[in-house]
Amino acid sequence: MVEKFELNPFEIKAEITNILTKLADVKDFESYEIHYRTLDMQKDKNIIVKLLFKEINSTHKNSDLIKFLLIRYCPQKELTERLWNIIKNNMASNNAKIFALDLLRSIDTNWSYEQCDQYLDNPDELVNSDTKKILDNALANPEVQIDFMDFLSSLPDNDKVVLLKSLSNDYSDDELANMLVPVFLSMSDTEAGKTALEILGNSKSQLAYHALTNALEFADDSIKPMINKNLSLLKLGGIREDNSLEFYKNILQNSKPYKFCITYPDGHGNQAVIISRIKKSGQIQFVAIVIDDYKGVRDCFGFNEISKFECNAIIERFYRGQRALELAPGILKTILIKAEKLSGGKVPYEYVCWKNILADIEPEDIQLDFKPKKLSNKEFEEILKYDFTDFWFLNNTYSDEFEEFLKELQNVNPSDFDNFIDLNLERVFYKDEYTVWHERILHTAVLKHFSGDNTAAKNLYSLYNNETLVREFFKNILRKSIYEYYFAKNDREKVSAIEEMWVK
């Protein structure tokens, strides 16, 4: 069925990266048709095109292959228009413009160098009269912020600092701070990030005050003195309280929350989150986020305006094979705040730009007010069959400890697997790993509760509070992991033996 080949934006992004990596040294792209098969099968090529254009500023990528893929997936008229937009865009890097010129020369018979020469910027003229318009638009459109961050990231380190200082000389207050907060939060350990921090300290902006105050909560100790220093400068400039909420509420007043969804964590702790708002025009602001319970916010992707139909179609594809839980916006915001703190402040700049569409939503308490009970054998067996447990197993490269476990397992007779699991459980689920998985049980209980399944929530909460049963639960995860390992290897003899012991 075609449906199984429909990828979500993150999967498309991964597929593009995979192609660019595998064909890095290839010149004759037409000879490698098999590598494009998955992208060819996507009904909607718009996301592919959007992501390919984002690759233009990645100088380490194969630009010729990106050109080949753009010609393959973007209609010529649209491609020509997009390339001219890059050439005429005063905030596009010279590398991007050269890329666009080169590709335009291949597809546009009316192309002439004289038309394009006027648009090639000198690096000293990066900032001009159009920048004000860009800064204004970025307040209401996170995609403009992200385009700026893409552009900034493409520059050499010294040019990043030059550009930021040029902006600070010409602009101030909230418009400037709105662009520089993502720079500081995503590049805090670089010269560009430190430059952005100093400019924010002198910006007299409530947005800067809000960002620096929040950053203190999870910033590295090495940078906290600089944050405090610039907060003091803001206070001396008259910014003494955080009024950013009213500022963002005013921007968001013409939209309201639409769909807020999340998956259960998988065996690696990954969860797919979708937040969306519907505007008075009927258009949707759509954001997809990947979080995990090891490093917090991992990836983020969004559209400022898509239709309801497109939104629902992406959600359906995004959660293919997994159950999407619709939660109250305040609950999901609390979960995202927790993930952000787990990131230690090191979050993708796309997330920094998009999270402001949650500004008018109050986070809600997600503590469970249950009393743990003694679980019966039947209740424990039911937990082992809950829907999310289908994904709770370790793959063969999960960790060094599990790889060693599998290596030694080769010399164990299947009849002794249970004993081997019992003896080695603490080696695979060592202290830190045990803590992550233990908290994952509690987090899943929270998801069950707030999605309306209180029976499952109470059972999981009781499991969380029973150390003996948690150990049994982890043993079952290892059983499932062993089964999946031999199933993937197509070792029918071991699979049959395991099914006889553990499945039947």
Side-chain angles (χ1 to χ4, degrees):
M1 292 176 65
V2 176
E3 285 74 16
K4 70 179 180 180
F5 295 109
E6 289 295 311
L7 305 181
N8 67 52
F10 289 111
E11 291 171 327
I12 292 173
K13 190 176 180 183
E15 185 66 21
I16 290 172
T17 301
N18 188 40
I19 292 171
L20 292 173
T21 302
K22 283 187 175 180
L23 304 186
D25 300 318
V26 168
K27 297 300 178 187
D28 181 19
F29 305 123
E30 276 98 353
S31 300
Y32 292 83
E33 286 291 320
I34 190 171
H35 292 281
Y36 318 128
R37 186 177 297 169
T38 301
L39 293 183
D40 288 347
M41 288 178 178
Q42 304 308 303
K43 291 179 182 177
D44 182 3
K45 301 295 194 295
N46 289 329
I47 295 173
I48 298 174
V49 172
K50 184 180 178 71
L51 290 172
L52 284 171
F53 270 102
K54 282 188 173 291
E55 293 289 341
I56 290 174
N57 281 319
S58 301
T59 53
H60 62 286
K61 302 291 187 184
N62 186 337
S63 61
D64 288 336
L65 179 53
I66 295 171
K67 291 170 190 172
F68 172 81
L69 294 172
L70 280 171
I71 292 171
R72 189 182 187 95
Y73 297 119
C74 188
Q76 183 171 332
K77 183 179 178 183
E78 179 188 342
L79 180 56
T80 302
E81 289 176 358
R82 281 175 172 266
L83 293 172
W84 273 110
N85 287 339
I86 291 173
I87 293 165
K88 296 176 180 179
N89 182 358
N90 293 303
M91 292 299 287
S93 67
N94 277 341
N95 282 341
K97 291 185 178 185
I98 291 168
F99 174 98
L101 286 171
D102 196 34
L103 181 51
L104 195 62
R105 191 165 43 187
S106 303
I107 65 171
D108 187 356
T109 54
N110 296 318
W111 178 90
S112 69
Y113 184 80
E114 289 73 21
Q115 282 179 287
C116 305
D117 186 36
Q118 61 179 305
Y119 298 113
L120 284 173
D121 297 330
N122 183 296
D124 296 330
E125 299 170 350
L126 285 168
V127 181
N128 55 42
S129 59
D130 285 345
T131 307
K132 176 63 176 172
K133 185 178 178 181
I134 292 169
L135 294 176
D136 288 340
N137 289 340
L139 288 171
N141 186 347
E143 284 191 294
V144 177
Q145 281 181 294
I146 293 167
D147 287 343
F148 172 77
M149 291 298 299
D150 289 342
F151 164 68
L152 184 70
S153 299
S154 73
L155 299 176
D157 291 341
N158 288 341
D159 287 352
K160 286 185 178 76
V161 173
V162 170
L163 173 57
L164 295 176
K165 287 182 177 178
S166 297
L167 285 172
S168 69
N169 290 335
D170 295 332
Y171 307 101
S172 60
D173 300 335
D174 293 334
E175 291 85 356
L176 178 64
N178 187 56
M179 297 297 275
L180 296 191
V181 165
V183 180
F184 161 60
L185 292 178
S186 63
M187 304 179 180
S188 59
D189 56 349
T190 69
E191 282 305 308
K194 291 171 184 175
T195 301
L197 174 57
E198 290 175 359
I199 297 170
L200 289 170
N202 290 284
S203 67
K204 297 182 180 179
S205 166
Q206 57 191 329
L207 304 187
Y209 187 90
H210 172 78
L212 300 194
T213 302
N214 286 354
L216 276 176
E217 191 172 349
F218 45 73
D220 290 337
D221 290 340
S222 60
I223 201 171
K224 283 184 178 179
M226 284 186 67
I227 296 175
N228 279 317
K229 172 190 169 185
N230 284 284
L231 271 172
S232 297
L233 289 174
L234 283 167
K235 290 175 183 176
L236 287 171
I239 308 297
R240 293 184 173 85
E241 57 184 78
D242 187 352
N243 294 318
S244 61
L245 180 58
E246 289 305 313
F247 176 88
Y248 284 117
K249 278 185 175 179
N250 184 55
I251 290 176
L252 297 169
Q253 64 180 329
N254 291 321
S255 70
K256 62 182 180 180
Y258 182 51
K259 289 192 174 182
F260 282 62
C261 311
I262 191 170
T263 57
Y264 293 113
D266 65 13
H268 290 261
N270 296 310
Q271 291 179 272
V273 177
I274 282 176
I275 58 177
S276 60
R277 301 181 69 99
I278 185 165
K279 302 179 181 181
K280 286 184 177 179
S281 64
Q283 293 291 98
I284 306 292
Q285 274 186 311
F286 172 94
V287 188
I289 305 161
V290 172
I291 63 174
D292 71 24
D293 47 18
Y294 291 94
K295 295 185 178 179
V297 182
R298 303 301 300 270
D299 207 348
C300 181
F301 185 91
F303 301 103
N304 193 55
E305 285 193 345
I306 58 175
S307 68
K308 262 189 184 181
F309 175 80
E310 289 173 311
C311 175
N312 294 335
I314 294 173
I315 290 175
E316 186 177 338
R317 287 161 55 190
F318 197 78
Y319 290 128
R320 184 186 66 253
Q322 295 190 59
R323 183 182 167 197
L325 307 171
E326 287 205 37
L327 298 183
I331 299 297
L332 201 47
K333 182 169 181 177
T334 300
I335 291 171
L336 287 173
I337 290 171
K338 184 178 178 181
E340 192 177 337
K341 289 178 180 177
L342 190 59
S343 302
K346 293 179 173 61
V347 296
Y349 59 75
E350 292 90 347
Y351 176 78
V352 176
C353 298
W354 278 111
K355 73 172 186 174
N356 289 332
I357 73 169
L358 294 170
D360 60 345
I361 295 169
E362 287 293 325
E364 295 183 31
D365 182 23
I366 60 172
Q367 298 297 316
L368 295 179
D369 189 22
F370 296 151
K371 288 185 179 180
K373 65 176 182 177
K374 183 177 179 179
L375 292 169
S376 66
N377 289 338
K378 183 179 179 182
E379 287 171 323
F380 180 68
E381 290 293 327
E382 283 299 313
I383 290 174
L384 300 181
K385 298 174 187 175
Y386 284 165
D387 47 4
F388 63 86
T389 62
D390 289 344
F391 303 96
W392 281 28
F393 61 88
L394 318 182
N395 61 24
N396 64 320
T397 59
Y398 181 83
S399 66
D400 292 341
E401 292 78 11
F402 186 59
E403 285 188 49
E404 190 64 28
F405 174 90
L406 289 176
K407 187 177 178 181
E408 293 178 16
L409 188 71
Q410 308 310 308
N411 301 317
V412 178
N413 190 289
S415 62
D416 292 325
F417 278 179
D418 268 325
N419 186 48
F420 185 76
I421 289 171
D422 192 50
L423 290 173
N424 291 278
L425 189 71
E426 279 72 23
R427 182 168 59 153
V428 177
F429 290 100
Y430 53 91
K431 185 178 178 181
D432 289 346
E433 188 72 4
Y434 177 96
T435 299
V436 169
W437 277 88
H438 189 220
E439 290 304 306
R440 193 175 296 167
I441 295 171
L442 178 61
H443 178 59
T444 308
V446 168
L447 296 178
K448 286 287 187 187
H449 172 62
F450 286 105
S451 62
D453 191 348
N454 258 352
T455 300
K458 289 176 181 177
N459 285 344
L460 286 167
Y461 186 73
S462 297
L463 170 64
Y464 172 78
N465 285 281
N466 188 321
E467 192 172 331
T468 301
L469 284 184
V470 167
R471 194 174 191 278
E472 286 301 311
F473 186 74
F474 289 170
K475 284 166 69 174
N476 194 70
I477 289 173
L478 281 188
R479 290 189 189 103
K480 184 173 293 190
S481 304
I482 292 170
Y483 177 79
E484 294 288 343
Y485 170 70
Y486 283 116
F487 188 85
K489 286 186 69 174
N490 200 24
D491 189 329
R492 295 181 180 179
E493 184 180 342
K494 292 278 177 64
V495 168
S496 296
I498 290 169
E499 287 178 346
E500 188 66 33
M501 288 188 305
W502 295 335
V503 179
K504 293 182 180 179

